[in-house]
């Protein structure tokens, strides 16, 4: 009996998790890019840039399309002679936080055996990534609710003995 309660709760939570979707909001973010190549010792830093219309997921505080921002930097560097750049884009919601991240990463590469190249905002500028609602999975709440209700009724009938238990998966040969 104890296990049945846990199974019911787990099933409910699974259905509920599928129905709940993370929201998003347009906000101002600060970001910069970093690029390195495993083929040489040159690393690239962009200026810290502000984007006023970036989309951030409200629950996770993650920047929507962060991979696309890195692709923008990669494509720019490929056009300007860096054959195989590996790029990252670092972002923060507050300017002082991004400045700390920028200084910490720059310290790791300055004064070592790396050639540090700086890309100004006039050379490279991020373009805001447009948020599309098509990326979010569509959930039919009524259909999900009906499925959950049917599953609950089936479990109840099975507990009361109205339905035979499901096959155990053993030998199913006719006698």
């Amino acid at each position: 009996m104890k296990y049945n309660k846990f199974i019911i709760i787990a099933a409910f939570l699974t259905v509920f998790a599928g129905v709940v979707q993370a929201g998003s909001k347009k906000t101002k973010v600060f970001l910069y890019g970093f690029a390195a190549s495993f083929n040489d010792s040159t690393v690239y830093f962009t200026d810290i840039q502000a984007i006023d219309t970036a989309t951030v997921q409200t629950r996770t505080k993650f920047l929507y399309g962060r991979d696309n921002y890195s692709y923008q930097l990669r494509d720019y560097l490929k056009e300007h002679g860096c054959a195989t750049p590996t790029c990252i884009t670092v972002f923060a919601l507050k300017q002082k936080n991004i400045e700390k991240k920028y200084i910490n990463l720059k310290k790791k590469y300055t004064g070592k055996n790396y050639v540090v190249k700086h890309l100004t905002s006039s050379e490279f500028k991020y373009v805001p990534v447009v948020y599309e609602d098509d990326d979010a999975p569509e959930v039919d709440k009524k259909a999900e609710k009906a499925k959950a209700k049917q599953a609950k009724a089936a479990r109840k009938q099975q507990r009361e003995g109205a339905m035979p238990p499901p096959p155990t998966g053993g030998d199913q040969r006719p006698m």
Side-chain angles (χ1 to χ4, degrees):
M1 187 66 172
K2 274 186 174 180
Y3 295 112
N4 288 341
K5 288 180 184 177
F6 288 118
I7 292 171
I8 291 170
I9 291 171
F12 175 77
L13 291 175
T14 303
V15 171
F16 182 73
V19 172
V20 175
Q21 292 182 358
S24 61
K25 64 178 180 176
K26 289 201 182 271
T27 187
K28 183 175 186 174
V29 297
F30 300 92
L31 46 82
Y32 72 88
F34 169 80
S37 176
F38 294 111
N39 294 338
D40 63 13
S41 60
T42 305
V43 295
Y44 298 88
F45 283 91
T46 68
D47 282 340
I48 295 175
Q49 300 175 21
I51 295 186
D52 294 328
T53 58
T55 305
V56 176
Q57 295 174 351
T58 51
R59 187 175 57 86
T60 61
K61 305 288 188 230
F62 254 53
L63 178 65
Y64 172 79
R66 57 198 172 280
D67 54 342
N68 291 328
Y69 289 104
S70 296
Y71 293 151
Q72 290 177 28
L73 179 58
R74 180 199 65 191
D75 293 343
Y76 172 83
L77 290 173
K78 281 186 174 183
E79 289 174 5
H80 289 83
C82 184
T84 57
T86 302
C87 303
I88 63 168
T89 300
V90 182
F91 76 97
L93 299 175
K94 296 181 181 175
Q95 188 169 0
K96 70 176 186 172
N97 293 347
I98 196 72
E99 288 171 353
K100 282 182 188 178
K101 292 177 182 182
Y102 186 82
I103 290 168
N104 287 337
L105 188 59
K106 201 155 189 178
K107 278 182 189 177
K108 291 181 182 181
Y109 292 96
T110 305
K112 306 245 168 57
N113 292 333
Y114 296 100
V115 176
V116 178
K117 292 191 177 180
H118 187 76
L119 300 174
T120 63
S121 295
S122 61
E123 293 174 312
F124 172 77
K125 187 149 185 81
Y126 284 107
V127 177
V129 175
V130 178
Y131 175 73
E132 297 174 4
D133 255 349
D134 296 340
D135 291 345
E138 291 187 27
V139 177
D140 185 3
K141 292 182 181 183
K142 289 182 181 180
E144 290 291 329
K145 205 173 197 179
K147 283 182 186 178
K149 199 173 191 179
Q150 287 175 347
K152 184 177 178 182
R155 286 190 301 272
K156 184 177 179 182
Q157 286 178 348
Q158 187 178 4
R159 279 195 311 268
E160 294 172 355
M163 288 178 49
T168 59
D171 195 339
Q172 299 291 326
R173 285 184 268 156
M175 294 194 184

